[in-house]
Amino acid sequence: MSTIKRLAVLTSGGDAPGMNACIRAIQLTASACNIEVIGFHHGFNGLLEQEYQSLHSHHVDNIIQRGGTILKSARCPALEQTDGPARAAEALQQLNIDALIVIGGDGSFRGTLAISKHYSGQLIGVPGTIDNDVDGTDNTIGFATALDTALDAIDKIRDTADAFERIFLVELMGRHSGYLSLAAGIAAGAEQIICPEFGTLSPANLKPIITPIQHAQLLKGKASYIMIVAENSYPGGTTALAEALTEAIGIECRACILGHIQRGGSPVGADRILATKLGAYAVEQLLQGANLMMAGEVNGEAVLYPLAKTGDRTKAIDPFLVRWQQQIGSL
Amino acid sequence: MSTIKRLAVLTSGGDAPGMNACIRAIQLTASACNIEVIGFHHGFNGLLEQEYQSLHSHHVDNIIQRGGTILKSARCPALEQTDGPARAAEALQQLNIDALIVIGGDGSFRGTLAISKHYSGQLIGVPGTIDNDVDGTDNTIGFATALDTALDAIDKIRDTADAFERIFLVELMGRHSGYLSLAAGIAAGAEQIICPEFGTLSPANLKPIITPIQHAQLLKGKASYIMIVAENSYPGGTTALAEALTEAIGIECRACILGHIQRGGSPVGADRILATKLGAYAVEQLLQGANLMMAGEVNGEAVLYPLAKTGDRTKAIDPFLVRWQQQIGSL
Amino acid sequence: MSTIKRLAVLTSGGDAPGMNACIRAIQLTASACNIEVIGFHHGFNGLLEQEYQSLHSHHVDNIIQRGGTILKSARCPALEQTDGPARAAEALQQLNIDALIVIGGDGSFRGTLAISKHYSGQLIGVPGTIDNDVDGTDNTIGFATALDTALDAIDKIRDTADAFERIFLVELMGRHSGYLSLAAGIAAGAEQIICPEFGTLSPANLKPIITPIQHAQLLKGKASYIMIVAENSYPGGTTALAEALTEAIGIECRACILGHIQRGGSPVGADRILATKLGAYAVEQLLQGANLMMAGEVNGEAVLYPLAKTGDRTKAIDPFLVRWQQQIGSL
Amino acid sequence: MSTIKRLAVLTSGGDAPGMNACIRAIQLTASACNIEVIGFHHGFNGLLEQEYQSLHSHHVDNIIQRGGTILKSARCPALEQTDGPARAAEALQQLNIDALIVIGGDGSFRGTLAISKHYSGQLIGVPGTIDNDVDGTDNTIGFATALDTALDAIDKIRDTADAFERIFLVELMGRHSGYLSLAAGIAAGAEQIICPEFGTLSPANLKPIITPIQHAQLLKGKASYIMIVAENSYPGGTTALAEALTEAIGIECRACILGHIQRGGSPVGADRILATKLGAYAVEQLLQGANLMMAGEVNGEAVLYPLAKTGDRTKAIDPFLVRWQQQIGSL
């Protein structure tokens, strides 16, 4: 058992729907254990600059349904400087922080690990990113919402694509991961999905993606054709890909870059529940002595996973769905 | 390996968002295996009365996002008559149906089992109900959408409750199960959740639910107080409970019965993906010889589960969340 | 021209989406004119009890999209007591309020008029209610959102009604007005609309509403039948009406009472724009000396209308749509 | 009075939410008058190629809530060829079409007028475009939905902009019109709106748009800053503008191009009602002999307006809101 009197929390990296729900669960759980809670602003920047606020229950009232993060998020280049981690640890000590919870992705967890070298308190991570590219948890906070936000947009594009009989390329976020693209593509009934996991796409060889388009146009007479394209799948981006395709097949292909709308919005139920569970679990595990771990959920159970392994990229996207999409869904 | 030339599908019982996505996956997967697909209308009624349609790919084009079911659903009292199952089996034989997929809840699966006594073909179930009360699968098709539909309504009620400083009792569906109520209650940040799993509620003893209300009003000065009430939790219904509470505490408590809006709407991503996976898996398993099984998903893997055990009610709602809500979420 | 140094605003009666957008416009417009703004809490109760807050620009930052009202709303029985209006006026004088803006319905405007007998400052109303039953403005703030909230629910009910081939009676708010019911009924393609403007409905004579149901069932074979019922249209309520119909026609008719979800939710664009325009216009007109007027919008133009006439109930619902629905839409 | 036995309808140009609701109203109204209705596919292309379908009531059942258009839409270069209009008129005569209703924008109406020179039947237009740039009607079918779709996206961008303290440029559709951008900008509480009506923007002089950004950053410390940019407002597009701004002010400005999601989606109530009213009115006016007119709505009344004047671009965007946004909303 660990004695924690003062707990800090921050949100780091790209914001994700559900971060507020997680802050709320942390505050409520810690308060119930008589732990004081403070929140740093702007991710690690607020830690370095000691910009923070006390978090009381009225601060987290009615935020479970809000997008964004009341603590603001940010990347923090300052933490990556040579003395950054030591300065961050110093700030934690000065403020008598016994434990810090970092809500973010694996990049934020690397920063957390760097701080640990200089800090005697406990550090724990909670996975919050729409990309779902963090090892040690089935889902990250924000993924389920981003999926539904993307779907809502793709359904609308389907309406107009169908009315106009057009080919659309819809670019989704995901950094180096195709999680969101595969899920959204399956769920939208997309005719084709292009993501890193399916192999590299080269301007010199567009045939593998052109053939199914021509096949669909010829054989099935489908009114619309939607391709989901994970960002970073093509040199020059999805707009360049659309232009290359248009030229290659002689039918206009339009690009639609969904962009940052995928980050916002009220979190869906699954994200609120996951955020609540992981936030509460993180506090409970800190009290049990957990350190340098991430609070994740695997097969429905809250579990700890070493922070150091969260960025190993060993989590595979559902092989059943990959196979089905390639063999049948894209017919 | 099994030889299937003609496959039938029907949707039975209360409709659930995602049933269309499942029909689509079944049609696409079967077609890719050169299996003919027909769909019975109105659940088992269409089977008994041989009311059906061929299902071609253009029938399932652009239905993945539609609520309801293109095959219509219904309860079927005729199937429960003594000669019902035999007549159903006879119809299947007459129509040369080698296998039947039933999308529905455990009640529909009981009907399916009854038919099996008279039928030489294969029978498989796919769990489709918003109640998530079917054993052998982590989630049923429709549950995730119903959760978000309920949440959307509760968030709106929170707006007005908060503006007016009111107490609301929101009744959710679930039959005998509190799955939807617990999930929605946690996700909405409800101050109290009443569901069968938490014990019986008696008009003679309302104290366990009154005490937290008074505690919240006194200590926390919360602007609004929302109680989620699973249907069938109180004799006379949630309106009667609201009246009893109003009288007991002297503050107006309003009931809001969400009702059938929980059944409709475009399915969310999670339901479309689950429906696609289970529909495809059901066809593949039929080809492997599966019979009298349900296609479910457990820990992310598609699995078979005996139809006969799907109604055992052994699936527990998340104990971590139950404990958290009772100890902390309701503070 | 009028000199206003200190302006107060309050939201009164049933809350409506867009009230926050209106508060924001009032604050921004007044601040730009160097007027101090305070907001009373809980409608007229906050005025009587001098419970208020200063309103600065950061208070209204990012509230344009929020449902409810940051000032809280309430009915105020105390204002209806003999000395209520005088006490309210006294509070305004004590706080040096030069002008008060009341956002609410015609009931709130009656209270405002009562105060005017004892108050030397300026009083102006802005119509905020989902019922759209205020004379002097084409639309009230909140109506457009309530319409879309109702529609969203009715579309979901259509999904399940259609899947199950059922008859649904959906009760909408509106007090004594059928505005919302007619608009939602037309927009949902409802087969029948029952509202006060179409005549009284008596348990003794249900024939006028039964005949079209039977006609539709017989001739058109429609899968679903949706009746929109304005609240207060039938003795005993819509549930009683559904039971009476079920008995009369021998087909199950289900009631669905939408209730308070119609009051909440993020305001739609039309409400945010109307709220912004009327809030800004109210401040500008106060500076021009307006008193005992309501700021409304007629034919796209912001106009003043005497507060005393806002409850005359002379605003008719669109006769073209009424005729079309009765002659054609209900076929 | 005119005798119409056979009526045709088509949707032309960019599709708009509500086109289906309009087709439905036309079918229902015409059927009630015993007029046969056919629908051409793909806009004027279907007319030229005599590709059409009969429209019966079951075709329009449950389409009032669907985005897109069941008749498909398209541009039609063939109509602009020398012999295009004559060929179109010939097809109408051959098919014994007594009257044609064209749902589209002013470009489609120009095509309609060209046909009239060779056609003895009646021609009427119904304004359907998200751009709201058609004279003779306060609103076009689709505008209200596109506004709410844009708002929904901008609200999400606000969430993430606010969490990350970023500057976003959100590009909306509108061709040469700022209607949608002004409305969405006001309704989103955008800090700045750039549209054609506000003057030309030149790369050489970005100062007018930079000054308010710097003012806001310096004085108000706003967490986020959102600029709505009407398409075609800047040479090279909104991405180029974002880059120019980033360089000029030294803070990252991100572009988000909403694109075709603005065209899809279930129509909101206002669009369904307008579409129903104008569709019904168009049929009624054809029966009264109307020809070469557009059915519009002005000040709540259905009115006829000469097709030839619909593209005059005399409709001004609300001067009150323009002034308010420039003087106050952008502070």
Side-chain angles (χ1 to χ4, degrees):
Chain A
M1 286 289 292
S2 175
T3 307
I4 297 173
K5 290 188 181 159
R6 202 167 203 224
L7 171 70
V9 58
L10 61 83
T11 47
S12 170
D15 58 301
M19 282 182 160
N20 279 329
C22 193
I23 294 166
R24 171 182 177 267
I26 290 167
Q27 198 286 331
L28 294 180
T29 308
S31 285
C33 303
N34 294 311
I35 299 171
E36 185 192 349
V37 187
I38 69 161
F40 289 110
H41 292 170
H42 315 293
F44 289 109
N45 299 290
L47 169 53
L48 287 170
E49 295 161 28
Q50 302 201 13
E51 185 192 337
Y52 63 93
Q53 67 173 104
S54 284
L55 282 175
H56 296 290
S57 70
H58 70 270
H59 291 112
V60 299
D61 225 34
N62 267 12
I63 66 166
I64 197 171
Q65 76 273 42
R66 303 278 178 232
T69 152
I70 59 167
L71 295 178
K72 312 294 180 191
S73 192
R75 320 254 178 234
C76 182
L79 186 66
E80 290 169 27
Q81 292 170 352
T82 317
D83 65 341
R87 284 177 50 221
E90 198 176 350
L92 289 169
Q93 314 278 23
Q94 278 182 5
L95 294 168
N96 294 314
I97 308 292
D98 299 308
L100 171 68
I101 300 179
V102 173
I103 309 172
D106 63 283
S108 304
F109 298 159
R110 274 196 299 278
T112 309
L113 285 169
I115 295 172
S116 74
K117 305 211 164 63
H118 311 270
Y119 176 55
S120 62
Q122 291 165 265
L123 295 165
I124 202 162
V126 178
T129 162
I130 64 165
D131 299 329
N132 200 21
D133 58 351
V134 177
D135 276 16
T137 190
D138 289 341
N139 289 297
T140 53
I141 297 166
F143 172 68
T145 304
L147 168 59
D148 282 322
T149 300
L151 263 186
D152 190 52
I154 303 168
D155 285 353
K156 287 189 168 71
I157 291 168
R158 175 71 76 185
D159 279 343
T160 187
D162 215 49
F164 231 88
E165 311 211 324
R166 269 170 172 162
I167 301 174
F168 273 92
L169 284 75
V170 184
E171 181 187 295
L172 301 192
M173 285 183 165
R175 292 195 298 163
H176 42 263
S177 160
Y179 249 96
L180 185 57
S181 292
L182 178 71
I186 295 278
E191 279 75 14
Q192 200 171 146
I193 301 173
I194 296 172
C195 62
E197 288 84 350
F198 292 179
T200 315
L201 196 62
S202 138
N205 183 14
L206 290 175
K207 209 180 160 196
I209 64 171
I210 289 175
T211 307
I213 301 177
Q214 291 174 325
H215 188 255
Q217 295 288 114
L218 281 174
L219 293 193
K220 306 194 61 177
K222 279 204 175 187
S224 56
Y225 194 95
I226 289 184
M227 303 171 70
I228 303 300
V229 185
E231 61 177 348
N232 304 320
S233 289
Y234 190 80
T238 302
T239 304
L241 177 56
E243 286 163 8
L245 279 178
T246 300
E247 190 168 332
I249 64 175
I251 304 172
E252 194 187 7
C253 299
R254 283 171 180 262
C256 189
I257 319 291
L258 284 197
H260 280 75
I261 62 168
Q262 296 165 82
R263 288 258 178 84
S266 179
V268 299
D271 274 329
R272 299 190 201 179
I273 293 170
L274 180 65
T276 299
K277 190 170 180 177
L278 297 188
Y281 181 73
V283 173
E284 291 184 5
Q285 291 302 309
L286 281 173
L287 287 171
Q288 298 293 324
N291 191 21
L292 301 182
M293 304 299 272
M294 182 190 77
E297 189 187 45
V298 175
N299 293 340
E301 295 282 335
V303 293
L304 293 180
Y305 192 82
L307 269 187
K309 293 173 62 188
T310 55
D312 285 356
R313 313 259 175 253
T314 62
K315 192 161 74 168
I317 53 178
D318 190 329
F320 185 95
L321 291 175
V322 169
R323 179 175 56 78
W324 188 81
Q325 175 65 20
Q326 295 186 325
Q327 291 176 0
I328 294 169
S330 59
L331 282 185
Chain B
M1 287 289 293
S2 176
T3 306
I4 297 173
K5 290 188 181 160
R6 203 167 202 223
L7 170 70
V9 57
L10 61 82
T11 48
S12 170
D15 58 300
M19 282 181 161
N20 280 330
C22 192
I23 294 166
R24 171 182 177 269
I26 289 167
Q27 199 285 332
L28 294 180
T29 309
S31 285
C33 303
N34 293 310
I35 299 171
E36 185 192 349
V37 187
I38 69 160
F40 289 111
H41 292 171
H42 316 293
F44 290 109
N45 299 290
L47 168 53
L48 288 170
E49 295 161 28
Q50 302 201 14
E51 186 193 339
Y52 63 92
Q53 65 174 107
S54 284
L55 281 175
H56 297 291
S57 71
H58 70 270
H59 291 112
V60 299
D61 223 35
N62 266 13
I63 68 166
I64 196 172
Q65 76 273 40
R66 304 276 180 233
T69 152
I70 58 167
L71 296 177
K72 311 295 179 190
S73 191
R75 320 256 179 231
C76 182
L79 187 65
E80 290 169 26
Q81 291 171 354
T82 317
D83 65 341
R87 284 177 48 223
E90 198 177 349
L92 289 169
Q93 315 277 25
Q94 278 182 4
L95 294 168
N96 293 315
I97 308 292
D98 300 307
L100 170 68
I101 300 180
V102 173
I103 309 173
D106 62 284
S108 303
F109 298 158
R110 272 195 301 280
T112 308
L113 285 169
I115 294 170
S116 74
K117 304 212 165 61
H118 311 269
Y119 177 55
S120 61
Q122 291 166 265
L123 295 165
I124 202 161
V126 178
T129 162
I130 65 165
D131 299 331
N132 200 21
D133 58 352
V134 176
D135 277 16
T137 190
D138 289 341
N139 289 297
T140 53
I141 297 165
F143 173 67
T145 304
L147 168 58
D148 282 322
T149 300
L151 263 187
D152 189 53
I154 303 169
D155 286 353
K156 287 190 168 70
I157 291 169
R158 176 70 78 185
D159 279 343
T160 188
D162 215 50
F164 232 88
E165 311 210 327
R166 268 171 171 160
I167 301 173
F168 273 91
L169 284 75
V170 184
E171 182 186 294
L172 302 192
M173 285 183 165
R175 291 194 300 162
H176 44 260
S177 160
Y179 248 95
L180 185 57
S181 292
L182 179 71
I186 296 276
E191 280 75 15
Q192 202 171 143
I193 301 171
I194 296 172
C195 62
E197 287 83 351
F198 292 179
T200 315
L201 196 62
S202 139
N205 183 14
L206 291 175
K207 210 179 157 195
I209 64 170
I210 290 175
T211 308
I213 301 177
Q214 292 173 327
H215 187 255
Q217 297 285 115
L218 281 173
L219 292 193
K220 306 195 60 177
K222 280 206 175 183
S224 56
Y225 194 95
I226 289 184
M227 302 171 70
I228 303 301
V229 185
E231 63 177 346
N232 304 319
S233 289
Y234 189 81
T238 303
T239 305
L241 177 56
E243 285 164 7
L245 278 178
T246 300
E247 190 169 332
I249 64 175
I251 304 172
E252 193 186 7
C253 299
R254 281 170 182 263
C256 189
I257 318 292
L258 284 198
H260 280 75
I261 61 168
Q262 297 165 83
R263 288 258 179 84
S266 178
V268 299
D271 274 330
R272 299 190 201 179
I273 292 169
L274 180 64
T276 299
K277 190 170 179 177
L278 297 189
Y281 182 73
V283 173
E284 291 183 3
Q285 291 302 308
L286 281 172
L287 287 171
Q288 298 294 323
N291 190 22
L292 302 182
M293 304 297 274
M294 182 190 78
E297 189 188 46
V298 175
N299 294 340
E301 295 282 335
V303 292
L304 292 180
Y305 192 81
L307 269 187
K309 292 174 63 185
T310 55
D312 285 356
R313 314 256 174 256
T314 62
K315 191 160 74 170
I317 52 179
D318 190 328
F320 185 96
L321 291 175
V322 169
R323 178 174 57 78
W324 188 81
Q325 175 64 19
Q326 294 187 326
Q327 290 176 3
I328 294 169
S330 60
L331 283 184
Chain C
M1 285 289 293
S2 175
T3 306
I4 297 173
K5 289 186 180 161
R6 203 166 201 225
L7 170 70
V9 58
L10 61 83
T11 48
S12 171
D15 59 300
M19 282 183 161
N20 280 329
C22 192
I23 294 167
R24 171 182 177 270
I26 289 167
Q27 199 285 331
L28 293 180
T29 308
S31 285
C33 303
N34 293 312
I35 299 171
E36 185 192 350
V37 186
I38 69 162
F40 289 111
H41 292 171
H42 314 294
F44 289 109
N45 298 290
L47 168 53
L48 288 170
E49 294 162 29
Q50 302 199 12
E51 186 192 338
Y52 63 93
Q53 66 174 106
S54 284
L55 282 175
H56 297 290
S57 71
H58 69 271
H59 290 111
V60 299
D61 224 32
N62 267 11
I63 67 167
I64 197 171
Q65 77 273 43
R66 304 277 179 231
T69 151
I70 59 167
L71 296 178
K72 312 294 180 192
S73 191
R75 319 256 179 231
C76 182
L79 186 66
E80 290 170 26
Q81 291 171 354
T82 318
D83 65 340
R87 283 177 49 222
E90 199 176 350
L92 288 170
Q93 315 278 24
Q94 278 182 6
L95 294 169
N96 294 313
I97 307 292
D98 299 308
L100 171 68
I101 299 179
V102 173
I103 309 171
D106 63 283
S108 303
F109 297 159
R110 273 195 300 280
T112 308
L113 285 169
I115 294 171
S116 74
K117 305 215 163 61
H118 311 270
Y119 176 54
S120 61
Q122 290 165 266
L123 295 166
I124 203 162
V126 178
T129 162
I130 64 165
D131 299 330
N132 201 21
D133 58 352
V134 176
D135 277 16
T137 191
D138 288 341
N139 288 297
T140 53
I141 297 166
F143 172 67
T145 305
L147 167 58
D148 281 322
T149 300
L151 263 188
D152 189 53
I154 302 168
D155 285 353
K156 287 189 168 71
I157 291 168
R158 175 71 75 184
D159 278 344
T160 188
D162 215 48
F164 232 87
E165 311 211 326
R166 270 172 170 157
I167 301 175
F168 273 92
L169 285 75
V170 184
E171 181 187 295
L172 302 192
M173 285 185 164
R175 291 196 300 164
H176 43 261
S177 160
Y179 248 96
L180 185 57
S181 291
L182 178 72
I186 295 278
E191 279 75 15
Q192 200 172 145
I193 301 173
I194 296 172
C195 63
E197 287 82 351
F198 293 178
T200 315
L201 196 63
S202 138
N205 183 14
L206 291 175
K207 208 178 158 196
I209 64 171
I210 290 175
T211 308
I213 301 178
Q214 290 173 326
H215 187 255
Q217 297 286 115
L218 281 174
L219 291 194
K220 306 194 59 176
K222 279 204 175 187
S224 56
Y225 194 96
I226 289 185
M227 302 171 70
I228 303 301
V229 185
E231 63 177 345
N232 304 319
S233 289
Y234 189 80
T238 302
T239 305
L241 177 56
E243 286 164 6
L245 278 179
T246 301
E247 191 168 331
I249 64 175
I251 304 172
E252 194 187 7
C253 299
R254 282 170 182 264
C256 189
I257 319 290
L258 284 197
H260 280 75
I261 61 169
Q262 296 165 83
R263 288 258 179 84
S266 178
V268 298
D271 273 330
R272 299 190 200 179
I273 292 170
L274 180 65
T276 299
K277 189 169 180 177
L278 297 189
Y281 182 72
V283 173
E284 291 184 3
Q285 290 302 309
L286 281 172
L287 287 170
Q288 298 293 326
N291 191 21
L292 303 181
M293 304 298 273
M294 182 190 78
E297 189 187 45
V298 175
N299 293 341
E301 296 281 334
V303 293
L304 292 181
Y305 193 80
L307 269 187
K309 294 173 62 186
T310 55
D312 285 356
R313 313 258 174 257
T314 61
K315 191 161 73 170
I317 53 178
D318 190 329
F320 185 96
L321 291 175
V322 168
R323 179 173 57 78
W324 187 82
Q325 175 65 19
Q326 294 186 326
Q327 291 177 0
I328 294 170
S330 59
L331 283 185
Chain D
M1 287 290 292
S2 176
T3 306
I4 297 174
K5 289 188 182 160
R6 201 166 201 226
L7 170 70
V9 57
L10 61 83
T11 48
S12 170
D15 58 300
M19 281 182 162
N20 280 329
C22 192
I23 294 167
R24 171 182 177 268
I26 289 166
Q27 198 286 331
L28 294 180
T29 308
S31 285
C33 303
N34 294 312
I35 299 171
E36 185 192 349
V37 187
I38 69 161
F40 289 112
H41 291 170
H42 315 293
F44 289 108
N45 299 290
L47 168 53
L48 286 171
E49 295 161 29
Q50 302 201 14
E51 186 192 339
Y52 62 93
Q53 65 174 107
S54 284
L55 282 174
H56 296 290
S57 71
H58 69 271
H59 290 113
V60 299
D61 223 32
N62 267 12
I63 67 166
I64 196 171
Q65 76 274 40
R66 303 278 180 230
T69 151
I70 58 167
L71 295 178
K72 311 297 180 189
S73 191
R75 320 256 179 231
C76 182
L79 186 65
E80 290 169 27
Q81 291 169 353
T82 317
D83 65 340
R87 284 177 49 221
E90 197 177 351
L92 289 169
Q93 315 277 26
Q94 279 182 4
L95 295 167
N96 294 314
I97 308 292
D98 300 308
L100 170 69
I101 300 181
V102 173
I103 310 173
D106 62 285
S108 304
F109 298 159
R110 271 196 300 279
T112 309
L113 285 170
I115 294 170
S116 74
K117 304 211 165 63
H118 312 269
Y119 177 54
S120 61
Q122 290 166 267
L123 295 165
I124 202 162
V126 178
T129 161
I130 65 166
D131 299 330
N132 201 20
D133 58 352
V134 176
D135 276 17
T137 189
D138 288 341
N139 289 296
T140 53
I141 297 165
F143 172 67
T145 304
L147 168 59
D148 282 323
T149 299
L151 263 187
D152 190 51
I154 303 169
D155 285 354
K156 286 189 170 69
I157 291 169
R158 177 70 78 184
D159 279 343
T160 188
D162 215 49
F164 232 88
E165 311 208 327
R166 268 172 172 159
I167 301 174
F168 272 92
L169 284 75
V170 185
E171 181 186 294
L172 302 192
M173 284 183 165
R175 292 194 298 163
H176 44 261
S177 159
Y179 248 94
L180 185 57
S181 291
L182 178 72
I186 295 276
E191 280 75 13
Q192 201 171 144
I193 301 172
I194 295 172
C195 62
E197 288 83 350
F198 293 180
T200 315
L201 197 62
S202 137
N205 183 15
L206 291 176
K207 208 178 159 197
I209 64 170
I210 290 175
T211 308
I213 301 177
Q214 290 173 326
H215 187 255
Q217 295 287 114
L218 282 174
L219 293 193
K220 305 194 62 174
K222 280 205 175 186
S224 56
Y225 194 94
I226 289 184
M227 302 171 70
I228 303 301
V229 185
E231 62 177 346
N232 304 319
S233 289
Y234 189 80
T238 303
T239 304
L241 177 57
E243 286 163 7
L245 278 179
T246 301
E247 191 169 330
I249 64 175
I251 305 172
E252 194 188 3
C253 299
R254 281 170 182 265
C256 189
I257 318 292
L258 285 197
H260 280 75
I261 62 168
Q262 297 165 82
R263 287 259 178 84
S266 178
V268 299
D271 273 329
R272 299 190 202 178
I273 292 170
L274 180 64
T276 299
K277 190 171 180 176
L278 296 189
Y281 182 72
V283 174
E284 291 184 4
Q285 291 301 310
L286 281 173
L287 287 170
Q288 298 294 324
N291 191 21
L292 302 181
M293 305 298 274
M294 182 190 77
E297 189 187 45
V298 175
N299 294 339
E301 297 282 335
V303 293
L304 292 180
Y305 192 81
L307 268 186
K309 293 174 62 186
T310 55
D312 285 356
R313 313 257 174 257
T314 62
K315 190 160 75 169
I317 54 179
D318 190 328
F320 185 96
L321 291 175
V322 169
R323 180 175 55 79
W324 188 82
Q325 175 65 18
Q326 294 187 326
Q327 291 176 0
I328 294 169
S330 61
L331 282 184

